[in-house]
Amino acid sequence: MKASTDSASARPTIYDVAHRAGVSKSLVSLVLRGSPNVSDPRREAVQAAIDELGYRPSRAASALAANRTQSIGLLIDDFHNPWFVEVLRGLRSVLDPAGWNISVADLQLEALSGRNPLDGFLAMHVDGLIIAAEPHAAPPLRNLDVPFVVAGVRELDSGPADVVASDEVQGAGLAVEHLVQLGHRRIAHLSGTGGSAKARLDGYLRSVRAAGLEPLVVGESGDTTEEAGYTAARELFSGHDGVTAVFAANDTMALGALAALKEHGLRTPEDVSVVGYDNTPLAESRYLDLTSIDSHNASIGSEAARALLGRIAEPSAPRRQLLLAPSLMARGSTAAPPS
């Protein structure tokens, strides 16, 4: 029989567990914290009482006791970008098992209401922040009084923050090298604004010049959406002849480019090869079968989570920068140029 309560619907408390197990409240607390200073018989008695009563520790009470909320804020700048889905999956693979909650704020949505999402996170007393937003939209970070980690290549005034990203310069080089090895000599790049796009542009420029080729960049001042890829590709194929391959700054831009190519009566890969970046589910779909650079975004998320937990535990630890090696995923959107 369960311990009596004032109401049949009342949740059992730590005192009910202690009473059922025949121990003190402080010993129950030690068991809940995983303390090794508890004998096996008493630990088993407490665990049996917890199971019998259906007791669940109060997260709020635990947070007050530890002066922590066990919550992390994730700041992104566009929910439509599939990059964030994989990063979030990686974050949760580390934070969920450790009992941490994640709250997400989208800078574009918050801007419509005039709110600063960092103010919201600070009001929630988050224990740390993951910043995965571009510099033109992100609020100032240097005066933050909570630990934070930057995920992805960003041009942020991040101060002492840890940074976890993919080596995007190397990744762009892999895309160009793949196309050069297939025999392409006129390789265009669809670019845009933001830290990742600029790093990928840098990698493209280095690689085409190293191969003795002439760079051709379109869309550098625009964004990196599907519509931007479509517009840039239309501009490219309306004013430049002889292009046999297109390297887009991400998979969503590549999707727009494929639509523009179709409008121009060009086939992929028979007439023009296309390479994207990020290896999102778009690229993996059988319909697109898009060659893409895998930046291992889930790993960026999991490593960013580990870096943040380490920063929370040791706020004064040396700044850490981790660059993950990307890889090429060759699929059906690339082939040798037409003869």
Side-chain angles (χ1 to χ4, degrees):
M1 180 183 294
K2 291 186 178 182
S4 62
T5 59
D6 294 336
S7 166
S9 61
R11 295 176 60 183
T13 69
I14 192 170
Y15 295 99
D16 296 324
V17 173
H19 178 76
R20 173 63 63 92
V23 299
S24 66
K25 169 186 169 294
S26 60
L27 191 137
V28 175
S29 296
L30 289 174
V31 173
L32 292 173
R33 293 200 300 267
S35 171
N37 301 320
V38 180
S39 67
D40 289 342
R42 287 194 169 187
R43 187 184 305 278
E44 292 168 3
V46 169
Q47 190 58 56
I50 289 172
D51 295 341
E52 292 169 11
L53 294 170
Y55 171 73
R56 295 293 179 269
S58 167
R59 184 178 294 273
S62 299
L64 286 172
N67 196 28
R68 285 184 181 167
T69 60
Q70 290 291 110
S71 60
I72 299 296
L74 171 62
L75 186 62
I76 67 174
D77 52 14
D78 183 7
F79 263 121
H80 295 97
N81 190 335
W83 182 87
F84 296 112
V85 176
E86 286 299 294
V87 171
L88 181 59
R89 183 168 70 86
L91 287 169
R92 295 196 60 174
S93 72
V94 173
L95 296 175
D96 284 3
W100 291 80
N101 289 323
I102 306 175
S103 298
V104 183
D106 181 344
L107 280 168
Q108 289 191 9
L109 296 178
E110 296 292 335
L112 297 175
S113 64
R115 293 191 299 253
N116 181 341
L118 292 182
D119 291 340
F121 284 141
L122 296 178
M124 294 166 56
H125 300 288
V126 296
D127 296 309
L129 294 167
I130 302 286
I131 308 295
E134 292 292 0
H136 63 276
L141 303 173
R142 276 196 175 272
N143 295 325
L144 282 178
D145 59 357
V146 296
F148 67 98
V149 170
V150 174
V153 175
R154 309 291 175 203
E155 294 179 321
L156 297 170
D157 185 16
S158 56
D162 298 303
V163 177
V164 178
S166 175
D167 189 336
E168 317 227 10
V169 173
Q170 180 188 5
L174 292 175
V176 173
E177 289 165 14
H178 170 65
L179 294 169
V180 169
Q181 288 172 1
L182 288 172
H184 294 275
R185 305 298 294 171
R186 191 62 167 147
I187 303 169
H189 180 47
L190 308 185
S191 187
T193 58
S196 288
K198 288 185 177 181
R200 295 169 190 181
L201 172 58
D202 184 21
Y204 162 81
L205 293 173
R206 292 186 192 184
S207 295
V208 293
R209 287 168 179 160
L213 307 179
E214 187 69 25
L216 175 55
V217 181
V218 184
E220 189 174 355
S221 61
D223 56 29
T224 54
T225 61
E226 179 183 345
E227 184 64 24
Y230 169 77
T231 301
R234 286 192 65 185
E235 177 186 341
L236 173 66
F237 286 97
S238 296
H240 301 277
D241 296 326
V243 173
T244 61
V246 172
F247 165 44
N250 61 23
D251 289 346
T252 53
M253 288 194 82
L255 182 60
L258 289 170
L261 289 172
K262 186 176 181 180
E263 282 188 6
H264 278 78
L266 297 170
R267 301 165 300 165
T268 301
E270 292 85 353
D271 300 314
V272 179
S273 290
V274 177
V275 179
Y277 205 113
D278 288 329
N279 196 37
T280 64
L282 285 173
E284 295 176 336
S285 70
R286 289 186 176 88
Y287 180 73
L288 292 182
D289 198 27
L290 178 66
T291 296
S292 185
I293 301 300
D294 191 345
S295 46
H296 304 291
N297 297 320
S299 295
I300 291 175
S302 59
E303 290 297 336
R306 292 186 184 98
L308 183 58
L309 294 182
R311 178 65 56 187
I312 291 171
E314 296 185 61
S316 61
R319 182 173 183 255
R320 180 187 181 212
Q321 222 173 0
L322 175 63
L323 284 182
L324 304 180
S327 54
L328 172 77
M329 302 300 295
R331 297 190 178 93
S333 67
T334 51
S339 55

